[in-house]
């Protein structure tokens, strides 16, 4: 218990049906311990007749905690049609309590914790998913129309913004993309070496790393990194503009937010994703080569020759197609969540989280679809 203590006691009148006195003592502050409050309130509830008199001579200090208790006592008396007499309470407390009760509580102001049935929650989830799907289709249509205006030369876009986006999503992303790609190459080579060493086929680690990185993992890991880095940045920046009503200002001035904000970010990211994936492929294969040379004692020349013989243009094409698709998805969900977020900081945070999650999930789904399509087409 805190050193500060707020004490409350109830003293019934000599005839039990003639009301009673509530005695306040100690320091009635938010950080003070409470003593005797439950018993005193129980005594007040047992009263059948008033008045209820308050004695506050022993109060040493107080804040709104005392005001809340006075309001509670006054409401108990009002419910029993008993008179409430402030007695020796501080005058400021009585005035604040009267002000607190002067205006009735607004409907819906209090928090309501309603336990919903599983069927209700399922219905709400289905409706929310339907609304989200409709919103994505609408935004996709707006973005398509914006690209049409770009082709016709009527888009309200500044190419300088595209250059800035390329700088942000390209050179500044090299360190993190290189780190992840290098570690991925090392992991693939190490896992493959453990199994291939049993058969004396360590040289095929080069095939495993080259095809795995170039065809799938280089694009996937780059896309996931960009979803967490660039997609979140898009959602946060556009969401902050939504909070500051800058998006409304664009609309008022006749400037399309999709043209001015979404189009440059989408173009810049789509242009940079293939270059980032090629960079990730090179770093990933170098990471695999590190394991092959220093752990498996494969000569660098032999490792490079095996890598060259394993790779084909079909593998590179699949990875580059994935990179373009991933760039579109990351930009799409990042800008969508930013434009559709609410007007508070909490909404911006939720939009950023949703942008990252949606981007990563869409990347995984797109990977599965492209892989199946490539297998059917013979790539």
């Amino acid at each position: 218990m805190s050193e500060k203590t707020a004490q409350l006691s109830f003293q019934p009148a000599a005839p039990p049906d003639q009301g009673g006195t509530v005695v306040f003592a100690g320091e009635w502050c938010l950080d003070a311990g409470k003593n005797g409050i439950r018993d005193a309130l129980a005594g007040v509830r047992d009263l059948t007749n008033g008045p209820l008199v308050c004695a506050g001579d022993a109060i040493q200090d107080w804040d709104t905690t005392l005001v809340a208790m006075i309001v509670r006592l006054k409401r108990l008396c009002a419910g029993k049609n008993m008179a409430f007499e402030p007695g020796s309470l501080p005058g400021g407390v009585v005035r604040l309590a009267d002000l607190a009760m002067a205006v009735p509580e607004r409907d819906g102001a209090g928090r309501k914790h309603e336990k919903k049935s599983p069927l209700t929650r399922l219905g709400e989830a289905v409706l929310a998913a339907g609304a989200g799907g409709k919103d994505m289709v609408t935004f996709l249509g707006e973005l398509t129309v914006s690209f049409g205006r770009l082709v016709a030369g009527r888009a309200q876009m500044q190419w300088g913004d595209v250059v800035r986006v390329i700088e942000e999503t390209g050179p500044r992303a090299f360190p993190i993309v290189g780190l992840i790609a290098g570690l991925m190459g090392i992991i693939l080579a190490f896992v493959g070496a453990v199994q291939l060493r049993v058969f004396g086929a360590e040289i095929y680690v080069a095939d495993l790393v080259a095809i795995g990185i170039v065809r799938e993992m280089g694009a996937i890991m780059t896309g996931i990194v960009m979803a967490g880095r660039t997609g979140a940045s898009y959602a946060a920046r556009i969401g902050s503009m939504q909070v500051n009503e800058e998006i409304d200002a664009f609309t008022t001035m006749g400037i399309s937010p999709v043209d001015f904000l979404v189009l440059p970010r989408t173009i810049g990211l789509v242009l940079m994703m293939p270059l980032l994936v090629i960079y990730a492929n090179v770093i990933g294969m170098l990471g695999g080569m590190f394991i092959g040379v220093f752990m498996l004692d494969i000569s660098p020349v032999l490792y490079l020759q095996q890598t060259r013989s394993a790779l084909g243009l079909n593998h590179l094409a699949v990875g580059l197609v994935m990179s373009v698709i991933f760039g579109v998805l990351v930009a799409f969900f990042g800008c969508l969540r930013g434009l559709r977020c609410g007007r508070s900081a909490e909404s911006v945070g939720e939009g950023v989280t949703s942008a990252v999650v949606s981007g990563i999930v869409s990347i995984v789904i797109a990977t599965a679809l492209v892989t199946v399509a490539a297998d059917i087409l013979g790539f």
Side-chain angles (χ1 to χ4, degrees):
M1 181 179 291
S2 174
E3 295 181 359
K4 298 180 181 180
T5 304
Q7 298 178 351
L8 186 68
S9 59
F10 175 71
Q11 299 175 359
D17 59 346
Q18 295 300 315
T21 302
V22 176
V23 180
F24 293 84
E27 301 185 24
W28 281 82
C29 300
L30 184 63
D31 58 346
K34 307 297 187 292
N35 187 15
I37 292 178
R38 180 178 298 178
D39 295 337
L41 292 177
V44 174
R45 292 191 185 97
D46 291 338
L47 286 178
T48 57
N49 197 4
L52 181 66
V53 182
C54 296
D57 297 324
I59 295 176
Q60 300 174 7
D61 194 10
W62 61 274
D63 58 16
T64 53
T65 306
L66 180 58
V67 177
M69 179 56 64
I70 299 302
V71 171
R72 188 173 183 180
L73 292 174
K74 293 185 71 172
R75 287 177 176 167
L76 284 175
C77 292
K80 292 177 172 292
N81 293 321
M82 295 189 309
F84 178 84
E85 296 182 3
S88 57
L89 287 174
V93 175
V94 178
R95 288 191 294 272
L96 287 174
D98 292 338
L99 287 173
M101 299 185 66
V103 179
E105 183 178 353
R106 185 177 61 185
D107 293 339
R111 291 186 178 180
K112 297 181 180 179
H113 301 279
E114 298 180 358
K115 186 176 181 180
K116 299 178 182 179
S117 65
L119 186 60
T120 302
R121 292 197 297 268
L122 176 61
E124 292 179 348
V126 171
L127 292 176
K134 180 181 178 181
D135 199 23
M136 284 192 292
V137 172
T138 302
F139 184 70
L140 179 61
E142 294 175 354
L143 186 58
T144 303
V145 172
S146 181
F147 269 106
R149 286 196 294 266
L150 177 64
V151 173
R154 295 184 289 105
Q156 298 169 315
M157 185 191 73
Q158 297 181 354
W159 286 101
D161 293 339
V162 178
V163 175
R164 283 191 290 272
V165 171
I166 290 176
E167 180 185 0
E168 293 175 358
T169 58
R172 295 185 184 180
F174 280 174
I176 182 64
V177 171
L179 175 64
I180 298 299
L183 292 176
M184 185 56 59
I186 291 174
I187 292 170
L188 282 177
F190 183 80
V191 173
V194 172
Q195 299 300 321
L196 293 173
R197 180 181 289 172
V198 177
F199 304 99
E202 296 94 333
I203 187 61
Y204 290 105
V205 168
D207 300 59
L208 172 66
V209 173
I211 296 176
I213 291 290
V214 173
R215 188 179 180 92
E216 299 279 349
M217 297 308 300
I220 293 173
M221 297 310 300
T222 302
I224 292 176
V225 169
M226 298 307 287
R229 181 185 181 277
T230 304
S233 174
Y234 287 179
R237 292 185 180 183
I238 298 178
S240 299
M241 296 176 71
Q242 185 73 268
V243 172
N244 295 330
E245 300 182 355
E246 296 177 48
I247 306 296
D248 296 337
F250 284 141
T251 305
T252 302
M253 292 185 294
I255 300 175
S256 171
V258 178
D259 283 7
F260 196 78
L261 298 175
V262 179
L263 206 54
R265 287 171 168 80
T266 304
I267 294 174
L269 187 56
V270 169
L271 290 177
M272 283 307 303
M273 277 296 291
L275 299 179
L276 287 172
V277 169
I278 293 174
Y279 169 75
N281 293 341
V282 173
I283 298 299
M285 287 187 289
L286 289 177
M289 183 178 176
F290 176 83
I291 295 296
V293 172
F294 293 99
M295 180 178 173
L296 303 178
D297 295 327
I298 302 174
S299 74
V301 175
L302 182 60
Y303 189 96
L304 291 175
Q305 289 177 348
Q306 188 68 25
T307 299
R308 182 180 177 182
S309 64
L311 284 179
L313 290 178
N314 59 325
H315 303 309
L316 181 61
V318 172
L320 293 180
V321 169
M322 283 187 179
S323 69
V324 174
I325 295 174
F326 295 166
V328 173
L329 292 174
V330 170
F332 177 85
F333 284 106
C335 296
L336 170 65
R337 301 310 179 193
L339 285 175
R340 299 296 191 265
C341 78
R343 305 280 184 172
S344 63
E346 181 180 5
S347 299
V348 175
E350 292 175 354
V352 171
T353 303
S354 180
V356 176
V357 173
S358 301
I360 293 175
V361 171
S362 65
I363 285 172
V364 174
I365 295 174
T367 301
L369 295 177
V370 172
T371 302
V372 173
D375 182 68
I376 294 175
L377 295 175
F379 280 90

